[in-house]
Amino acid sequence: MLSLALRLGWRNLWRNGKRTAITAAAIAFGTFVMIASGALMLGLVRQWVDNATNLATGEAQLHAPRYLAERSFYQTLPDAAGALRAAAAASVPAAARAYGFGLVSRGSKSAGASFWGVDPAVERATFDLPRQLQRGSYLPDLPAGPAPEGARPLVLGAKLARSLDAEVGAEIIAVVQAGDGSLGNELFRVVGVLKTAGETIDRSAAIVRRDDFALLFAAPGVVHEVAFHSRGRIPPEQLAGRLGDAALAGGELRTWRQLLPMLSDLEQVTTSALVVMGLIFFLAAGLGVLNTMLMATYERIREFGVQKALGTTPGRILLDVATEAWLLGGLASVPGGLLGTLLAAYLQAHGLDMSRFASSFSASGVAIDPVWQASLSGPVVVVPVLAMWGVTVLAALYPAFKAARIQAVRAMAHH
């Protein structure tokens, strides 16, 4: 019975080849666009998140309870060393940092800066920011013995370096209010300038080694933040459980979604926009199929009447029309899905270069590579194909029910 329905459905599908071809092309185009655009948008979202987490933020951060609200130099972590030991025991890469604000100047130019005290070796092993250099190099590792005299190494954000007109090798004077209330000042030499990495980093970041930070701010051993980054191995929400409560005693652990709420909202809005766009394409395809099947049903009213007069059941007529729509959906959505997958694979490998419109992009303060790469996965391909195929069959049910309920005498008298 099913094989007969398939043969009849295929034959009926091509009674009006032009109409079938137009409808199939519309379904195929919708499937193609959904896969290609979906992969590109999901790739863009992943790029936002990866840039935010991989550069410096990490998947979660530990701070003193009121530090993020007040940004007070004195809101330090009481047991940063314990948190680092717990992270090492749980095989979660982590980096300790100290932050302070001050003034940097070169010649007659000066600007406010946010000083980062970091361990260069740990940062290189855990995050990507040390490799995002426009020119120069990242900080050398901490010296094994006492720090040498003379200018100390410094890495500047892109906009801060431009404000100071500072190139690699330029000497920078830093003036800050030290932790003991005194006036701290040191001479630094620029060893590197970062690429565009986000508005906050670009505008104010002045990255120094933790030993040099301690000397500048008269605050040995101070730590304001421990950033954890497993590069996707451990979901951020599970980090607290992996580290243990003892490691977090006296501090608050926040995931990147809590640290960057605007980026998290932007991710959700983008995903919702993709769903809405899909619904629009599915609705358009469904209306096209509905129109096609209604016209096909109207043209075959007398044929359906003869079938019913010969004893064909309503269920069989319903099956024949639904099978015709099923064949139409497969004929259109599968090739459309194949073409969309090929384009998405190309965009994943080579990306879509938007640098002709702007040299850099940012969203919620996070820099985005101007070459947008798609993210191809099974659901990105399978969901549009099956959804479009299913919409095609669902749209044909109304004409199928009308054909199944037709009265034989009135149908045979139809002209």
Side-chain angles (χ1 to χ4, degrees):
M1 181 176 176
L2 183 58
S3 61
L4 178 60
L6 288 172
R7 288 199 301 270
L8 288 175
W10 184 257
R11 185 200 67 184
N12 292 329
L13 200 60
W14 297 107
R15 285 185 170 186
N16 191 321
K18 181 181 293 186
R19 183 172 61 210
T20 297
I22 292 173
T23 306
I27 297 171
F29 178 74
T31 309
F32 166 81
V33 171
M34 279 302 302
I35 292 175
S37 62
L40 193 60
M41 291 179 70
L42 291 177
L44 184 59
V45 169
R46 178 171 294 180
Q47 191 175 359
W48 285 338
V49 175
D50 286 350
N51 280 8
T53 57
N54 292 343
L55 283 179
T57 302
E59 293 158 342
Q61 293 181 356
L62 182 68
H63 303 94
R66 296 189 301 277
Y67 176 75
L68 290 181
E70 300 175 3
R71 294 287 178 177
S72 169
F73 184 84
Y74 303 100
Q75 293 290 337
T76 60
L77 282 171
D79 189 18
L84 292 173
R85 286 194 299 269
S91 300
V92 179
R97 299 170 183 152
Y99 295 102
F101 297 95
L103 189 71
V104 288
S105 63
R106 177 177 179 269
S108 61
K109 297 185 177 181
S110 61
S114 172
F115 289 90
W116 298 24
V118 303
D119 183 332
V122 174
E123 292 289 334
R124 275 194 291 268
T126 309
F127 293 97
D128 291 345
L129 189 63
R131 290 178 285 280
Q132 300 299 309
L133 290 165
Q134 191 178 107
R135 50 193 180 273
S137 60
Y138 196 64
L139 299 172
D141 290 348
L142 294 170
E149 296 296 327
R152 302 169 189 276
L154 170 76
V155 173
L156 293 176
K159 290 185 178 179
L160 181 57
R162 198 156 50 241
S163 298
L164 298 173
D165 195 18
E167 293 293 336
V168 173
E171 291 189 342
I172 302 291
I173 298 174
V175 179
V176 303
Q177 182 177 349
D180 59 3
S182 65
L183 193 66
N185 63 87
E186 289 292 335
L187 180 65
F188 290 89
R189 177 172 284 107
V190 178
V191 296
V193 176
L194 295 171
K195 293 180 182 177
T196 297
E199 185 62 27
T200 302
I201 296 176
D202 293 349
R203 187 179 63 251
S204 62
I207 306 175
V208 301
R209 299 181 299 189
R210 282 181 61 192
D211 284 0
D212 297 335
F213 182 95
L215 185 65
L216 176 63
F217 284 89
V222 65
V223 174
H224 297 104
E225 171 182 293
V226 175
F228 304 95
H229 191 34
S230 69
R231 293 188 180 270
R233 288 190 298 105
I234 304 171
E237 296 76 13
Q238 297 180 12
L239 273 175
R242 290 288 293 268
L243 295 171
D245 293 338
L248 309 181
E252 288 186 357
L253 186 72
R254 295 176 176 85
T255 67
W256 71 265
R257 291 187 182 278
Q258 296 168 305
L259 295 166
L260 302 169
M262 289 183 64
L263 182 62
S264 179
D265 292 343
L266 188 59
E267 180 196 32
Q268 295 174 7
V269 167
T270 303
T271 304
S272 300
L274 184 59
V275 172
V276 171
M277 187 174 69
L279 291 175
I280 292 172
F281 274 105
F282 295 149
L283 178 61
L287 290 175
V289 172
L290 178 62
N291 180 65
T292 297
M293 299 308 296
L294 278 174
M295 293 179 67
T297 302
Y298 181 80
E299 292 172 354
R300 289 153 49 195
I301 287 179
R302 294 188 67 187
E303 179 181 327
F304 290 134
V306 171
Q307 285 182 294
K308 296 201 73 173
L310 294 175
T312 304
T313 63
R316 179 55 190 271
I317 293 177
L318 180 65
L319 176 63
D320 288 344
V321 178
T323 302
E324 185 178 339
W326 185 84
L327 289 169
L328 175 62
L331 178 69
S333 59
V334 172
L338 178 61
L339 292 175
T341 302
L342 292 175
L343 179 58
Y346 175 84
L347 293 175
Q348 180 173 259
H350 302 283
L352 182 64
D353 191 355
M354 305 295 290
S355 58
R356 70 189 68 179
F357 303 106
S359 58
S360 63
F361 297 86
S362 65
S364 297
V366 177
I368 303 172
D369 194 320
V371 179
W372 295 354
Q373 290 185 303
S375 177
L376 187 59
S377 61
V380 172
V381 176
V382 174
V383 170
V385 171
L386 293 183
M388 197 67 79
W389 202 337
V391 165
T392 303
V393 175
L394 288 175
L397 291 181
Y398 175 66
F401 276 115
K402 285 183 66 71
R405 296 177 59 188
I406 201 167
Q407 295 181 2
V409 176
R410 292 184 59 184
M412 288 188 293
H414 178 78
H415 295 287

